[in-house]
Amino acid sequence: MRLPAPYALACVGLALSTAACTLLGEVNPSEEDGGSPTEESFEPVLAPRLLEEMDLGDKIGQLMVLTAQGTTAAENAALIETYRPGGLIYFDANLTGAEQIASLSAGVQEIAAEQGAGVPLFLGIDQEQGLVARLPVGTSFPDAMAVGATGDTGQAVLRATTTAAELNALGINLNYAPVADVNTDPDNPVIGIRSFGSDPALVSEMAVAEAGAYAEAGIVPVVKHFPGHGDTDVDSHTGLPVIDMPRDEWEAEHLPPFRAAVDAGVDAVMTAHVIMPQLDAGTDPATLSPAIIDGILRGELGYDGVVTTDALNMEGVRQDHTDGEIAVRALEAGVDQLLMLPDPAAAVAAITEAVEQDRLTEERIDESVLRVLVLKERRGVLEADPVDPAAAEAALSDPAHAEAAQTVADASATLVRNESGLLPLAAGARVRVEGTGADRLAGALAEAGLEVVTEGADAVVVGTNGARGSAEQSAPVEAARAQGLPVVVVAQGGPYDLEAFPGVEGFIAVYSSVDVSLAAAAGVVAGEVEPTGTLPVDIPGADVAAGTGLGF
């Protein structure tokens, strides 16, 4: 593609590398090339000028996203001054309340503005919702699998838009979401209900819808985990999963959501610490694989956005190399940002040495830095107004947000079994509640108009989460059935729990244990919520197919 005139001049005037100039031309089609002044034809102005002002230390800094320290900006000052990082990632330990989080965000941005080229930070967080949600404040939505059960991309947009509004109020400008993994292994220990489902077409639609909603709201979405973490039985936080899957099977089942994300021009993609021998015969995980990142993601799929690693402190990527060598290999593979480096000093030293020895060229560094800066400019990070800590609490307390979460939860509730028309129970029916989340579930049932009792029940409602192979979770179901009482199981994790209860009379899947999901389940039991969800995954051990969902 011919370089638009403004960028041709920028490259001449700013002495940018050939690769950087090429990148500018590729990501910014001009109106003369058939484009229009839309999101797709965004033309950065500040990014190339910032790159020209940077020394190698500044550039290496932009490639790093470090773990935030403490709960105040002052506790992060030395980290920012030393490394001039491209971003920080927040975790639970950094977050106590809305005003505190917003103050932290405003403070670290002020410190960053005083360092080197004065580039604002990406302030990121894992706020997928459901199981993976770091914020101690704000609205709790159900997990992605619940959204998949709705079959409605509008629910995905609602969840992302609401979450984005709260992140904006806290000064957080990047979310490591959505998950685009297709969960094809019921025993997956790390993805499960974080996935929209087992159907690649469904996952594609939902992931693209959420990513688009985040971007439209000014929050950078990060689609994860390429080339797919949905068929693993090992958690890459503690080990190194090996997915020995034929390439044609991977292309059919796990590639489609990532291909759809690339085609949609998603802002960023996160790599997975998984080995896929059919994609790369080497022994390194995908995060460090030129064949997978540069070859497939960049080359075959044509992705030229920001690629970030998954956390580099995870055991799945630290099996065979030092922390410094891992940083260099990730950049060699085609990655742009290094997330949660366990030893930033070692990474800086190793990358600097690699440049000095021509293992990595500065031109290669420029490519990644420019991608990061262009994304920061596109999402308004470079010229963002300081967040207002005093306004944060009110923004997170908007009643419309709670209503949105309940809307998604109600739409996800899936009635999988209802023997003899057991549900809904009659108004005022007496129920005994046991199992996972029993206290909160009992409260929700009482709120829905049922009488919660300890004796003399008409039916027993049992909460479960990961009940397959769990004698403890099976016991209350078996005891109730031995008493001749009908049982309604409310599965708050994967719907695979049905395999543990082949004869249960009622089975409701809500795919999450957040309060709105328990309220949705209670609503179905009491007849206040019409179950409209359908299974987004197969339940192999119960011979129940995806798409199953009963009404009243």
Side-chain angles (χ1 to χ4, degrees), residues 415 418 421-427 429 450 522-531 551-552:
L415 184 58
N418 190 19
L422 172 64
L423 298 176
L425 298 180
L450 299 177
V524 172
V525 173
E528 292 188 344
V529 172
E530 176 74 24
F552 290 146

Side-chain angles (χ1 to χ4, degrees), residues 279-298:
L279 302 185
D280 181 357
T283 58
D284 279 335
T287 295
L288 308 181
S289 167
I292 293 176
I293 305 305
D294 196 44
I296 297 177
L297 181 57
R298 297 279 194 211

Side-chain angles (χ1 to χ4, degrees), residues 152-154 156-158 160-161 178 203-215:
D152 178 5
T153 55
V157 169
L158 181 61
T161 300
V203 175
S204 299
E205 292 175 359
M206 295 296 176
V208 168
E210 279 208 356
Y214 277 119

Side-chain angles (χ1 to χ4, degrees), residues 208-503:
V208 168
E210 279 208 356
Y214 277 119
E216 187 173 346
I219 299 295
V220 172
V222 181
V223 172
K224 58 190 187 184
H225 310 78
F226 184 82
H229 212 311
D231 195 55
T232 62
D233 57 8
V234 173
D235 184 345
S236 55
H237 290 84
T238 57
L240 179 55
V242 177
I243 307 174
D244 196 6
M245 176 184 295
R247 174 154 182 161
D248 58 350
E249 183 179 340
W250 169 73
E251 288 183 351
E253 295 186 359
H254 298 275
L255 175 60
F258 296 101
R259 186 189 295 279
V262 169
D263 290 345
V266 69
D267 285 351
V269 173
M270 176 183 284
T271 66
H273 304 327
V274 298
I275 288 180
M276 296 195 70
Q278 304 300 320
L279 302 185
D280 181 357
T283 58
D284 279 335
T287 295
L288 308 181
S289 167
I292 293 176
I293 305 305
D294 196 44
I296 297 177
L297 181 57
R298 297 279 194 211
E300 295 180 25
L301 299 185
Y303 184 63
D304 206 17
V306 171
V307 176
T308 177
T309 68
D310 202 344
L312 292 179
N313 63 356
M314 293 165 58
E315 287 305 309
V317 77
R318 302 178 78 193
Q319 303 281 317
D320 299 321
H321 309 292
T322 65
D323 291 331
E325 177 67 11
I326 287 167
V328 173
R329 286 183 176 240
L331 295 175
E332 288 180 322
V335 163
D336 300 307
Q337 283 206 308
L338 309 166
L339 178 63
M340 295 175 63
L341 289 156
D343 189 344
V348 171
I351 295 168
T352 302
E353 182 180 4
V355 172
E356 291 172 346
Q357 296 180 353
D358 291 328
R359 181 179 171 187
L360 286 171
T361 66
E362 192 159 354
E363 181 180 54
R364 166 68 190 90
I365 301 296
D366 285 352
E367 292 175 17
S368 286
V369 175
L370 187 59
R371 289 190 187 103
V372 171
L373 295 176
V374 167
L375 181 53
K376 287 184 175 182
E377 185 171 354
R378 177 182 289 122
R379 293 292 161 242
V381 175
L382 296 184
E383 296 184 294
D385 293 328
V387 66
D388 180 5
E393 183 65 45
L396 269 66
S397 302
D398 186 339
H401 294 189
E403 293 174 9
Q406 193 63 63
T407 295
V408 174
D410 288 351
S412 76
T414 307
L415 184 58
V416 182
R417 183 168 292 166
N418 190 19
E419 297 298 322
S420 303
L422 172 64
L423 298 176
L425 298 180
R430 298 181 299 174
V431 295
R432 190 169 80 228
V433 186
E434 300 183 18
T436 302
D439 289 344
R440 292 188 299 132
L441 188 53
L445 288 162
E447 185 73 19
L450 299 177
E451 183 181 354
V452 178
V453 298
T454 56
E455 296 182 359
D458 300 311
V460 179
V461 177
V462 179
T464 67
N465 191 339
R468 294 184 308 153
S470 171
E472 181 180 358
Q473 293 196 55
S474 296
V477 175
E478 294 169 356
R481 301 194 75 226
Q483 296 170 8
L485 292 172
V487 177
V488 178
V489 168
V490 175
Q492 300 155 47
Y496 314 108
D497 284 6
L498 182 61
E499 296 178 9
F501 311 112

